Amino acid sequence: MEIVIVGNGPAGVAAAEAIRKSGLECSVTVVSKESEPFYSPCPLAEYVEGSVSRDSLFMRDGDFYRRSRIDLLAGCAAVSLDPSSRRIGVSRSGRIEHLSYDRLLVASGAATAFPPVSGLSGAPGVFTLKTLADADAILENVGGTERAVVIGSGFIGLEAVQALVRRGLKVTVVEAMGQVLPQMLDADFAARVQARLETFEVEVLLDSPVRRVTQGPNGVASVVAGDREIACQMVVCATGVRPDLSWLAGSGVAVDRGVIVNDRMETNLPNVYAAGDVIQAPDWAGRLDLLPNWPNAVASGRVAGASMAGESRKFTGLLPVNAVRIFGQPVSSFGVRGGEQVVAAGEGGAARKLFLEGGQIVGGQFLGDVSGSGVFLEMMRKRVDASFLDGTALSGRWSVAAMLREPPRVRSLAG
Amino acid sequence: MSESIFTFVERCVGCKSCEVACAVEHSRSKVLASAMRETPRPRPRVRVQPAMNYTFPSRCVHCEDPACVAACPTGAMTEDLATGTVRVNDDRCIGCWMCVTVCPFGAVTENPETGTAHKCDLCPERTARGEDPACVAACPTGALIYSTAERFADERRKITALSTVGVSTEAPGNVTLWRSLRGGYQR
């Protein structure tokens, strides 16, 4: 049995580990277009900032691939999939080779979704912050740079903003929508985050879609966004990510915005599975969704690995959850950003808000103090009646204990 | 089967001895009198919380297939596959709080002083010496025990059997009275 995994990120590695854990006798080949072993992209902003070392980005020790009997083909980009002959094409230093598989996992991730703007994608002085190579490129160019523009105020954008500010740059962030963190927070909390960014002298421009990026004799010269032209020497584009589906064209695998999978991470093609940022899968409520984040990548990768090894394990659904820090202040959110009933509380610099529909939690957001927020996420997933919640329940001391709605069973038996 | 901490909710009287013992065990001096004067002040990893007219010592339950480990993007949160113990490595933790956001028990919290995740570590130094974790050793009513899941289930069955024939293994009468006076969950 030959298993081929395209992608060496959290989903691919979680799947490979699940296959090895199952004890299935098979070869596992991981194809990665990047040259580094498995690393985490989440602390890349901290790496750029200088607070996290390059070494600690790597998630496994040097012996991991040998010990786990995983053949890592680094620097090989998958370019085609032919399910009829069960082969994939990979580009290895310019030459196309073919790899046969008995089972294939598509965990090729997502790439920065550049807005269709002239002078942006691939232009000199324009960076992204998705891969280690991106971060290294920023570090090579950050010296001597005074002004930077970050396009997009999602969590990657704001992490990039902080890293550059701490590197001593003057940073402007431009956002096409009317608030920062538009996928994470409602307008009220977003305004608080914006205020915090501004106290750290970050210029925030809302409702400012990028029109073009201009080049000068020494590289990038300015960004035109909304009705402003901002002079800068560096641009970081963080306008969200999109599954990289180009290499699957013509393969017959069902795609919409991502590769469509069921709760066992099976695609419509036999023996082809998918996991991680590339998938469009059932979320916690059973709706097909695209939710690229680290926990979803690991969880879907584990399920895919178990499925490929012939085990029966079901995915509990993608979780719409994220956390970010704004100059040290924690911010987290899950679910939707509004609801028919809002429970809110705040003390000191902290604020918390839950959104309810029909007595059940459908979303929540936490600013300054995120302790205990996971309980509400679990209440949402389990569809627990939350109509009894009020502001006091939103204190940081709230835990699962407070959900105990009946006396322990032993007492009722004692009568 | 490895050992972990289990809770008999009905035996907890909310004295918070576990909180104090936990903070002392995780202090530098490991002595109450000097631990109180340490900076940063030692923080407990167990919190006694109101639960209707009961109290509940809430802490990490060291889940099987832990959500915090899957969510940790730096490899700081790990599960010891041999014992099932979930621990955080402060050196790798960058304080992204993904673990806090996904913990269904609210048992991983932020430590503002270190900027890292804060949770029960099952007292590795004590258990290596063959002692119970600090909270278990300090609990005066036996609400917390350090045992295997099987032995805990046995004990639970025994209590249930006794209570069905009218033998109360619950807290003393004055505690039962106090609970009834608390009058349920404070909305």
Side-chain angles (χ1 to χ4, degrees):
Chain A
M1 166 91 75
E2 287 172 24
I3 291 182
V4 174
I5 296 173
V6 178
N8 189 30
V13 172
E17 288 180 328
I19 291 163
R20 284 295 173 238
K21 204 174 166 185
S22 76
L24 179 77
E25 268 313 308
C26 61
S27 72
V28 175
T29 305
V30 172
V31 179
S32 172
K33 65 180 170 204
E34 295 181 58
S35 50
E36 297 86 4
F38 176 38
Y39 65 90
S40 173
C42 302
L44 282 177
E46 285 82 359
Y47 167 57
V48 170
E49 167 190 306
S51 63
V52 165
S53 72
R54 199 173 196 279
D55 280 351
S56 58
L57 295 173
F58 296 101
M59 298 287 284
R60 297 291 182 273
D61 61 72
D63 192 41
F64 166 72
Y65 292 95
R66 193 200 57 78
R67 191 175 62 237
S68 311
R69 289 173 292 127
I70 298 169
D71 291 322
L72 174 63
L73 300 183
C76 288
V79 292
S80 63
L81 163 61
D82 178 10
S84 58
S85 64
R86 290 200 303 208
R87 291 196 310 176
I88 61 165
V90 296
S91 162
R92 198 175 196 177
S93 35
R95 283 206 323 276
I96 305 291
E97 296 172 18
H98 288 91
L99 276 179
S100 333
Y101 64 83
D102 293 307
R103 283 178 192 156
L104 174 73
L105 177 65
V106 177
S108 47
T112 302
F114 286 95
V117 165
S118 74
L120 192 56
S121 175
V126 177
F127 301 90
T128 55
L129 189 52
K130 181 83 178 67
T131 65
L132 184 49
D134 296 339
D136 283 334
I138 292 178
L139 279 175
E140 273 169 37
N141 288 275
V142 81
T145 304
E146 284 166 18
R147 288 192 59 95
V149 172
V150 174
I151 302 170
S153 68
F155 69 96
I156 296 182
L158 294 191
E159 282 177 346
V161 166
Q162 294 169 79
L164 296 175
V165 166
R166 285 173 169 159
R167 282 267 165 194
L169 276 70
K170 178 93 184 81
V171 182
T172 301
V173 56
V174 297
E175 169 58 56
M177 313 274 276
Q179 63 166 82
V180 297
L181 292 171
Q183 304 285 325
M184 251 181 96
L185 300 179
D186 69 355
D188 168 27
F189 274 29
R192 288 164 173 255
V193 167
Q194 185 181 344
R196 185 162 177 87
L197 289 166
E198 284 163 353
T199 60
F200 285 83
E201 292 175 359
V202 176
E203 185 182 25
V204 182
L205 299 179
L206 301 177
D207 297 311
S208 302
V210 173
R211 293 169 200 264
R212 65 177 186 278
V213 175
T214 63
Q215 295 286 333
N218 306 315
V220 70
S222 72
V223 171
V224 182
D227 49 11
R228 285 271 305 273
E229 178 163 7
I230 310 124
C232 60
Q233 298 93 45
M234 175 182 272
V235 175
V236 177
C237 186
T239 42
V241 296
R242 193 179 291 152
D244 182 10
L245 305 173
S246 53
W247 70 280
L248 297 167
S251 66
V253 69
V255 297
D256 177 23
R257 289 180 297 146
V259 177
I260 295 170
V261 291
N262 61 15
D263 61 5
R264 290 171 46 85
M265 299 298 125
E266 295 162 334
T267 67
N268 63 318
L269 298 177
N271 300 311
V272 178
Y273 300 74
D277 285 1
V278 79
I279 59 170
Q280 193 167 351
D283 71 2
W284 65 279
R287 294 172 295 237
L288 267 188
D289 206 352
L290 216 68
L291 288 163
N293 66 30
W294 181 276
N296 288 336
V298 174
S300 63
R302 284 181 180 168
V303 172
S307 292
M308 292 167 88
E311 291 178 355
S312 171
R313 194 169 154 179
K314 281 195 173 172
F315 186 53
T316 52
L318 298 172
L319 279 181
V321 47
N322 238 316
V324 66
R325 284 164 301 161
I326 307 297
F327 292 102
Q329 184 182 52
V331 179
S332 77
S333 78
F334 63 85
V336 297
R337 297 173 298 283
E340 61 185 23
Q341 191 191 341
V342 180
V343 182
E347 51 190 63
R352 301 169 152 233
K353 209 183 258 187
L354 289 177
F355 303 109
L356 281 75
E357 295 277 357
Q360 290 179 357
I361 296 173
V362 291
Q365 47 193 38
F366 304 82
L367 203 76
D369 173 17
V370 300
S371 290
S373 55
V375 181
F376 301 111
L377 173 65
E378 191 68 5
M379 288 173 81
M380 177 179 89
R381 277 180 64 173
K382 298 258 169 76
R383 296 182 174 78
V384 174
D385 171 44
S387 53
F388 65 93
L389 288 180
D390 60 15
T392 57
L394 279 166
S395 86
R397 297 288 301 275
W398 172 260
S399 88
V400 71
M403 275 163 62
L404 196 62
R405 310 294 298 146
E406 293 169 22
R409 202 172 183 81
V410 57
R411 190 173 154 83
S412 56
L413 278 168
Chain B
M1 188 69 203
S2 53
E3 294 178 302
S4 190
I5 301 171
F6 295 91
T7 309
F8 292 101
V9 185
E10 69 278 13
R11 292 182 189 165
C12 178
V13 296
C15 70
K16 303 198 178 197
S17 300
C18 50
E19 288 191 12
V20 175
C22 180
V24 170
E25 173 62 21
H26 295 94
S27 68
R28 284 194 302 277
S29 62
K30 298 191 192 287
V31 177
L32 176 61
S34 38
M36 284 165 68
R37 291 193 300 271
E38 282 178 20
T39 320
R41 182 182 277 196
R43 298 165 62 84
R45 294 144 194 249
V46 53
R47 288 281 187 189
V48 177
Q49 306 216 314
M52 289 190 65
N53 47 351
Y54 282 73
T55 51
F56 180 76
S58 176
R59 47 164 191 89
C60 173
V61 299
H62 301 271
C63 299
E64 196 174 305
D65 206 356
C68 57
V69 174
C72 178
T74 66
M77 194 70 82
T78 54
E79 181 186 12
D80 182 328
L81 293 176
T83 64
T85 307
V86 179
R87 293 205 175 100
V88 54
N89 175 351
D90 275 2
D91 294 336
R92 285 193 80 102
C93 180
I94 59 167
C96 74
W97 313 127
M98 212 61 196
C99 50
V100 177
T101 308
V102 300
C103 174
F105 296 94
V108 189
T109 57
E110 308 153 45
N111 184 339
E113 274 115 12
T114 57
T116 56
H118 190 68
K119 67 181 287 302
C120 168
D121 60 1
L122 283 182
C123 293
E125 294 171 32
R126 292 182 61 94
T127 48
R129 294 195 298 262
E131 296 169 17
D132 283 347
C135 56
V136 174
C139 180
T141 65
L144 292 170
I145 63 158
Y146 185 61
S147 181
T148 64
E150 287 80 1
R151 285 214 302 277
F152 175 68
D154 276 351
E155 193 66 17
R156 200 70 269 181
R157 273 194 289 274
K158 206 156 50 182
I159 291 168
T160 307
L162 284 171
S163 62
T164 48
V165 295
V167 181
S168 175
T169 56
E170 265 216 39
N174 53 350
V175 172
T176 315
L177 175 68
W178 171 75
R179 278 185 187 143
S180 67
L181 290 174
R182 277 178 61 92
Y185 177 72
Q186 309 287 315
R187 290 193 183 186

